[in-house]
Amino acid sequence: MNEVIIATKNSGKAKEFIQMFESYGITVKTLIDYPELPDVEETGETFAENALLKAESAARLTGRPAIADDSGLVIDALDGRPGVYSARYAGIDKDDKANNRKVLKEMAEVVDDQRSARFKCVLAVSFPDDRESIIVEGDCEGRIAYEESGTNGFGYDPLFIPEGFDQTMAQLEPNMKNEISHRAKALRKLQVSLTELDGGMK
C-alpha cells in the first residue's frame, strides 16, 4: 500500500492521518483531493456503520483502498450523547463552538465525579476489490472540563481532559495527542490488520 484515501473533508482529521502515515512512506489523499465525489450521507446508527458507509463509497469511487473514521464524544452523564451526532450536535451545520457551548450548558450542574467521558473512534478500511472491509476501534478515556481551554485541537478537544492529564486535549502538543488519542489507538490496531495490503505497513 503506497497510497491511501482518507474519506474525510475535515482538515483537522486529515492532518492527523497525514502525520501518522508519513513515517511509513505512504501517500495520503483525502476527499478534498476529489471535489467531484458526492458526500456520503451518514445514516448509520453506530460509529461502525457510518465509518463503513464512508470507506466503501470512497474505495468504490476512487479505485483505491480507503480509510474512513467515524468518531465522537460519549458522555456518561448525558446517556452517551453527543455520540454519533457529535459533529452536528448543536444543529445541522458543523459548528465546533456551538457544539461545545451546548455540551457545557448541559453539563453545567454535573459534579466532578460524574463528568466522565471518552472519545471513541472507529476506523474502517475498504478495498476496491472483493476483500472484506476491516474495522477497528479505539477509545480515549477522560472527563469534561468546565470551560474551553487550548487552541491546538479541533472539535471537542478544548473540553476534554484525557485520563492522567490536567490539561485539555487542545492544550497538549500535537505529538502527545497523537500518542494518546482515540484515533491513534485505533490506527495502531489497524496496523496489525493491514498485512493484507501488499504486505501491510512495516
Side-chain angles (χ1 to χ4, degrees):
M1 182 173 68
N2 53 19
E3 182 177 297
V4 66
I5 308 300
I6 306 300
T8 186
K9 293 181 180 177
N10 182 309
S11 59
K13 287 184 181 181
K15 184 177 180 180
E16 288 186 5
F17 276 109
I18 289 169
Q19 289 173 339
M20 290 177 188
F21 275 110
E22 64 183 357
S23 63
Y24 296 97
I26 295 171
T27 299
V28 173
K29 291 189 175 180
T30 73
L31 296 184
I32 298 170
D33 299 302
Y34 294 87
E36 72 280 5
L37 296 186
D39 289 334
V40 176
E41 190 173 354
E42 297 179 26
T43 56
E45 295 183 0
T46 66
F47 292 118
E49 289 174 0
N50 283 331
L52 268 175
L53 284 170
K54 292 183 283 187
E56 289 173 351
S57 174
R60 182 177 68 253
L61 294 173
T62 65
R64 294 272 193 266
I67 298 177
D69 96 312
D70 198 45
S71 55
L73 180 64
V74 176
I75 302 174
D76 295 321
L78 301 183
D79 298 321
R81 299 192 310 274
V84 294
Y85 305 106
S86 290
R88 296 181 173 86
Y89 193 46
I92 192 168
D93 295 325
K94 295 182 178 181
D95 185 332
D96 290 348
K97 286 289 187 183
N99 290 338
N100 286 339
R101 285 194 300 269
K102 183 174 181 178
V103 167
L104 286 175
K105 182 177 180 180
E106 293 181 336
M107 294 289 289
E109 304 300 322
V110 180
V111 297
D112 283 351
D113 63 359
Q114 295 178 20
R115 300 180 74 86
S116 58
R118 68 207 47 82
F119 273 130
K120 180 175 284 291
C121 172
V122 175
L123 291 178
V125 186
S126 294
F127 311 99
D129 51 33
D130 58 0
R131 281 174 289 179
E132 187 174 348
S133 296
I134 297 169
I135 298 176
V136 297
E137 63 180 71
D139 293 343
C140 181
E141 297 287 338
R143 66 189 190 277
I144 301 301
Y146 287 92
E147 61 184 12
E148 293 184 68
S149 299
T151 58
N152 288 339
F154 63 96
Y156 296 97
D157 286 351
L159 294 187
F160 184 81
I161 302 173
E163 197 171 74
F165 291 82
D166 294 321
Q167 296 174 301
T168 68
M169 196 75 96
Q171 292 175 298
L172 300 179
E173 292 297 324
N175 288 344
M176 176 59 70
K177 178 183 176 180
N178 286 342
E179 282 293 315
I180 67 170
S181 77
H182 50 309
R183 195 166 292 113
K185 291 176 181 177
L187 185 60
R188 285 195 286 270
K189 292 181 182 178
L190 187 62
Q191 292 168 9
V192 177
S193 303
L194 284 180
T195 52
E196 297 177 34
L197 283 178
D198 298 329
M201 295 162 59
K202 305 294 186 181

